[in-house]
Amino acid sequence: MRNDPKIGSHVSTRGGFAAAARYADSLGGKAFQYFPKNPRSLHVKPPNLQEGAACAAYCREFGLVSVAHTPYPTNMAVGLTRGEEHYRLTVESLMNDLIIAESCGSLGIVVHFGHLKGGNILEGYQNVIRCMNDVLSAWTGRAKLLIENQAGDHSSMGMTLEESVKVRELANEPEKIGFCLDTCHLFAAGQWDVSATDKLLHKGRELGYWEQLVSVHLNDSKYDAGSRKDRHARVGRGMIGKEGLRALLQSSELAGKAFILESEKGEDGTHRDDIAEVKSWLR
């Protein structure tokens, strides 16, 4: 199988979604991630379907793929613990993100697994499943809800591949759910020994995780394995290092996925150099 990953970075949508696609293309990548609306608010944004269609058309013409990232306050695990109004807003926000992502032709919306402070962890898992069910029950688009694994800096929820697989399995419509793997989070959670990446790949195969993987946040880590600190480093410059990241990038299990860089930018204020660096690993 030919390994042909799509590599890119998170980009701004300040000039619109089509402008974001053109900018991502100018950086030398063929993938990008964006916020569908204000990243610090759950409030719904009326979708500009014409702008989304222009983005989708550009991506089709020039061979780009994209994913949307839900706003930071999105937390599927809290359920009704913060009140019915907050829960309703969370569900409506996620549906809003799906509609915008669909209009842009995106693969899906990335959403953190979530955490429940001071609560029963089982209740947190049940909340995640209920939230996904309520969001996806009426969803008929192609864009998927993509569960992102967590580093463990807020709670122990969502740190393992097993958890993502299980909540997807227990959801009413698992076919509408996929995964986004964050390499920094996995390393920081103590779930990846970079000297034995074959073991991680084997585990993912046994779980059926790779089959549902849609995108990868290709981030190095500023802290050691098991630190539970979510601090991204530029690719090849952190504690994971070039060889560890390259082993994943070149694996047949991750062939053809969308790889997104989320670390700080280079001296020119872009991810251009890091995209070129990652692409050079495939030569």
Side-chain angles (χ1 to χ4, degrees):
M1 180 188 297
R2 181 187 175 198
N3 191 343
D4 186 23
K6 301 279 191 176
I7 301 162
S9 64
H10 188 100
V11 300
S12 170
T13 59
R14 183 170 298 176
F17 298 125
R22 291 191 294 269
Y23 176 70
D25 196 17
S26 75
L27 296 179
K30 288 299 178 182
F32 66 98
Q33 179 178 271
Y34 62 93
F35 288 120
K37 54 179 181 282
N38 184 345
R40 304 196 180 279
S41 172
L42 293 177
H43 290 292
V44 169
K45 172 185 177 181
N48 185 331
L49 299 182
Q50 184 176 0
E51 177 64 27
C55 174
Y58 186 93
C59 290
R60 285 194 301 271
E61 182 176 357
F62 295 99
L64 275 73
V65 296
S66 67
V67 291
H69 196 299
T70 60
Y72 296 125
T74 308
N75 187 348
M76 299 190 296
V78 299
L80 293 168
T81 61
R82 293 186 60 184
E84 187 171 345
E85 182 179 354
H86 181 82
Y87 178 72
R88 177 186 53 77
L89 187 59
T90 299
V91 171
E92 290 178 354
S93 176
L94 285 165
M95 177 58 80
N96 184 225
D97 294 337
L98 280 169
I99 292 170
I100 294 172
E102 183 79 4
S103 76
C104 291
S106 300
L107 301 173
I109 61 169
V110 177
V111 57
H112 293 166
F113 192 99
H115 60 278
L116 181 62
K117 291 185 177 180
N120 183 314
I121 193 167
L122 178 58
E123 180 185 1
Y125 295 136
Q126 292 170 335
N127 290 341
V128 171
I129 296 165
R130 175 185 175 180
C131 183
M132 294 194 299
N133 287 342
D134 286 345
V135 170
L136 298 173
S137 62
W139 178 243
T140 59
R142 289 176 296 179
K144 291 188 175 185
L145 187 152
L146 307 177
I147 306 170
E148 180 180 351
N149 60 302
Q150 298 178 157
D153 49 339
H154 295 296
S155 79
S156 59
M157 287 185 67
M159 296 170 64
T160 67
L161 302 187
E162 288 90 340
E163 290 167 274
S164 293
V165 169
K166 181 54 68 173
V167 295
R168 178 185 182 274
E169 178 185 310
L170 294 174
N172 289 341
E173 299 177 276
E175 69 279 2
K176 299 179 182 180
I177 302 168
F179 304 131
C180 173
L181 179 72
D182 189 300
T183 55
C184 171
H185 296 178
L186 193 70
F187 180 77
Q191 298 296 311
W192 176 22
D193 177 355
V194 296
S195 68
T197 296
D198 58 323
K199 292 183 179 179
L200 171 65
L201 295 172
H202 178 71
K203 176 195 281 190
R205 287 196 300 272
E206 286 193 322
L207 292 170
Y209 180 88
W210 307 124
E211 296 168 10
Q212 308 304 329
L213 183 68
V214 173
S215 65
V216 179
H217 287 166
L218 194 68
N219 300 314
D220 215 321
S221 175
K222 291 188 175 181
Y223 291 95
D224 289 333
S227 65
R228 295 177 67 153
K229 293 184 177 181
D230 179 11
R231 293 293 303 278
H232 301 170
R234 292 177 65 183
V235 286
R237 304 188 184 195
M239 301 303 293
I240 298 174
K242 173 182 175 179
E243 294 308 315
L245 293 170
R246 184 164 65 175
L248 278 185
L249 184 73
Q250 293 181 326
S251 68
S252 60
E253 288 81 358
L254 276 67
K257 307 303 181 183
F259 287 80
I260 306 296
L261 309 179
E262 292 185 314
S263 58
E264 61 262 34
K265 298 173 182 177
E267 294 180 2
D268 67 348
T270 77
H271 288 98
R272 187 187 309 276
D273 290 345
D274 286 357
I275 290 171
E277 169 71 12
V278 174
K279 289 170 69 175
S280 75
W281 298 350
L282 296 169
R283 299 192 188 114

